[in-house]
Amino acid sequence: MKLIDRRPLQIPAFRRLWTASAVAAVGGSFSLVAVPTQLFTLTGSSATVGVSAVISTCALIVSALGSGALSDTMDCRRLLLAGNAGLGLAYVGLWLNAELDSVAVLLVLVALYGLSFGVTMTTMGAAVPRVVPNEQLVAANSLSALTRYTGAVVGPLLAGLLIPAVGLGTLYLLDSVAMLVVLWAVGKLPAMPRPRRRGIARQLGEGFRYLARERILVAILVVDMAAMVLAMPVALFPELAEQAYGGSAGGGVELGLLFSAYPTGVLLAGLMSGTFSRARRHGALMASAATVWGGCVVVLGLAAHLWIAVFALVAGGAVNFVLSTFRNTIAQAYTDEAMRGRIQGALTVVLMGGPQLANVVHGFAGAWIGAQWAIGIGGALAALTVLLVLRAVPELWRYGDSP
């Protein structure tokens, strides 16, 4: 095993991007727990969490695709500033709404969050290969994943403990303050101008046609969609913690453990990320990790005790670190430089919109057949989908570290 490969941090522009992403990881971790918990507490239904996911997903799809086209034509730094400013406004609104407990206002703020987060994630992904050489992309993506999930390890655990003590409003306020640091870090980035082109709709059309021609890009998107939609049951964590493991209504240690277990696994794998820096079988590693992730979710659905569920999520987080690292590396290295923003937009739709869509699927499935049944079936379907993709696109399994 080799510890973290820190070579990309020697590049000043990447170091600033990395700093911004590290602070953003902390800035979003409390809200990831607080929003679904608040909705479930107000309505008593996981289906309501699913409705909020529909709104967030639609907003994210629009912003990810639009900002992907824009990042191929304008300064990425300006887009990052706009996206993070929108996130800050969403957190402030959530803080103010914590006293009102208005479901309608909460859903509007979820939409604003989706719009802003789509811009931020898409632009960040498009900017990394512009400042880091191809041979360091695996290391750069590993560092980004590590920092993103480091904040998510402590955040959800603290959120589960703090909700009963200080309330949801304090968590939203802390997220708002963190975004001020993110805006400062992004403001220090150098300009990253792009050749100006006209017609965003035309550029989106070019991007979709390019994607349709590239079987490997389509394959990694389908594999990632299976992992993110069929096997990401976050919407059911409040119900699972309360009804399967005896947690208290509205939050508690059980809920915090479920939310923090997955990013803990990512963090543990990230601490050994240097092991993957010189790996060549990128496609095989990605597909294998996605299959194992589906198996971990099956174990989660079958778990009769909290410690088994936590272990399954920790193991799943570790393999998902491998999945996300090589998914991003393949997409960035394989894609033509002029198309990276638009392809990153499609990848962001899957990466961030997928879990939101998963909230819809699992929210309604959990209400219909029960949380644990919905989780187990989703994991099995995800693993099966990966095997079908490999059969249809065998070149993904053979893909190395160069297109």
Side-chain angles (χ1 to χ4, degrees):
M1 292 282 183
K2 183 180 177 181
L3 296 179
I4 303 168
D5 186 345
R6 294 174 291 180
R7 289 176 299 161
L9 293 177
Q10 298 173 6
I11 303 171
F14 177 79
R15 190 165 58 245
R16 293 186 178 92
L17 281 172
W18 179 80
T19 301
S21 66
V23 179
V26 179
S29 59
F30 284 167
S31 297
L32 290 176
V33 178
V35 169
T37 300
Q38 185 178 9
L39 280 171
F40 186 73
T41 302
L42 290 174
T43 64
S45 172
S46 291
T48 307
V49 180
V51 171
S52 72
V54 173
I55 297 172
S56 179
T57 300
C58 291
L60 188 143
I61 289 172
V62 171
S63 66
L65 295 177
S67 61
L70 287 174
S71 67
D72 284 334
T73 64
M74 64 179 291
D75 189 347
C76 288
R77 187 176 70 95
R78 293 173 58 189
L79 282 176
L80 284 172
L81 285 170
N84 284 296
L87 286 175
L89 289 175
Y91 292 140
V92 171
L94 288 168
W95 170 52
L96 296 174
N97 186 58
E99 293 296 325
L100 299 176
D101 274 340
S102 169
V103 175
V105 172
L106 185 58
L107 294 178
V108 171
L109 293 170
V110 165
L112 175 59
Y113 176 88
L115 286 170
S116 303
F117 200 63
V119 173
T120 301
M121 288 298 295
T122 299
T123 309
M124 186 74 74
V128 168
R130 292 175 186 165
V131 298
V132 174
N134 273 12
E135 62 271 16
Q136 294 185 24
L137 280 178
V138 173
N141 286 314
S142 296
L143 285 166
S144 297
L146 179 60
T147 54
R148 186 167 63 247
Y149 284 100
T150 296
V153 171
V154 179
L157 182 58
L158 287 178
L161 296 173
L162 289 174
I163 288 173
V166 301
L168 297 170
T170 300
L171 302 187
Y172 294 135
L173 180 60
L174 291 173
D175 284 348
S176 304
V177 174
M179 293 311 298
L180 295 176
V181 182
V182 175
L183 289 171
W184 173 83
V186 172
K188 293 290 185 179
L189 285 170
M192 289 181 275
R194 298 289 298 159
R196 290 192 174 274
R197 301 181 181 91
R198 294 183 178 180
I200 292 181
R202 180 178 179 181
Q203 290 187 69
L204 285 174
E206 292 175 353
F208 284 125
R209 288 191 294 272
Y210 175 83
L211 177 60
R213 294 194 304 266
E214 303 296 337
R215 284 164 54 86
I216 286 182
L217 292 178
V218 173
I220 65 172
L221 287 173
V222 174
V223 167
D224 203 39
M225 179 67 78
M228 294 297 101
V229 175
L230 299 175
M232 189 63 73
V234 176
L236 295 176
F237 283 2
E239 182 178 347
L240 196 64
E242 181 179 336
Q243 298 184 6
Y245 305 124
S248 58
V253 176
E254 294 81 4
L255 180 63
L257 285 172
L258 288 176
F259 271 102
S260 62
Y262 172 86
T264 297
V266 175
L267 175 59
L268 292 175
L271 293 175
M272 299 296 177
S273 61
T275 304
F276 310 117
S277 293
R278 291 175 174 81
R280 300 187 64 85
R281 298 294 302 278
H282 293 182
L285 285 165
M286 177 193 168
S288 298
T291 306
V292 175
W293 164 238
C296 291
V297 175
V298 171
V299 173
L300 173 64
L302 296 173
H305 302 285
L306 179 61
W307 71 267
I308 300 176
V310 170
F311 177 80
L313 286 169
V314 170
V319 296
N320 245 324
F321 178 88
V322 179
L323 167 61
S324 65
T325 295
F326 289 105
R327 173 201 60 222
N328 289 337
T329 301
I330 293 171
Q332 291 167 348
Y334 190 90
T335 305
D336 289 346
E337 201 275 339
M339 291 286 181
R340 277 180 179 150
R342 281 160 280 187
I343 298 305
Q344 188 63 41
L347 191 65
T348 300
V349 170
V350 175
L351 175 61
M352 305 311 302
Q356 298 297 329
L357 184 56
N359 288 341
V360 179
V361 174
H362 285 89
F364 287 103
W368 178 37
I369 61 175
Q372 290 179 291
W373 273 102
I375 292 170
I377 292 172
L381 290 175
L384 177 61
T385 301
V386 176
L387 297 177
L388 292 175
V389 169
L390 288 175
R391 183 176 178 84
V393 189
E395 54 264 42
L396 174 62
W397 183 264
R398 300 189 296 268
Y399 181 82
D401 61 355
S402 61

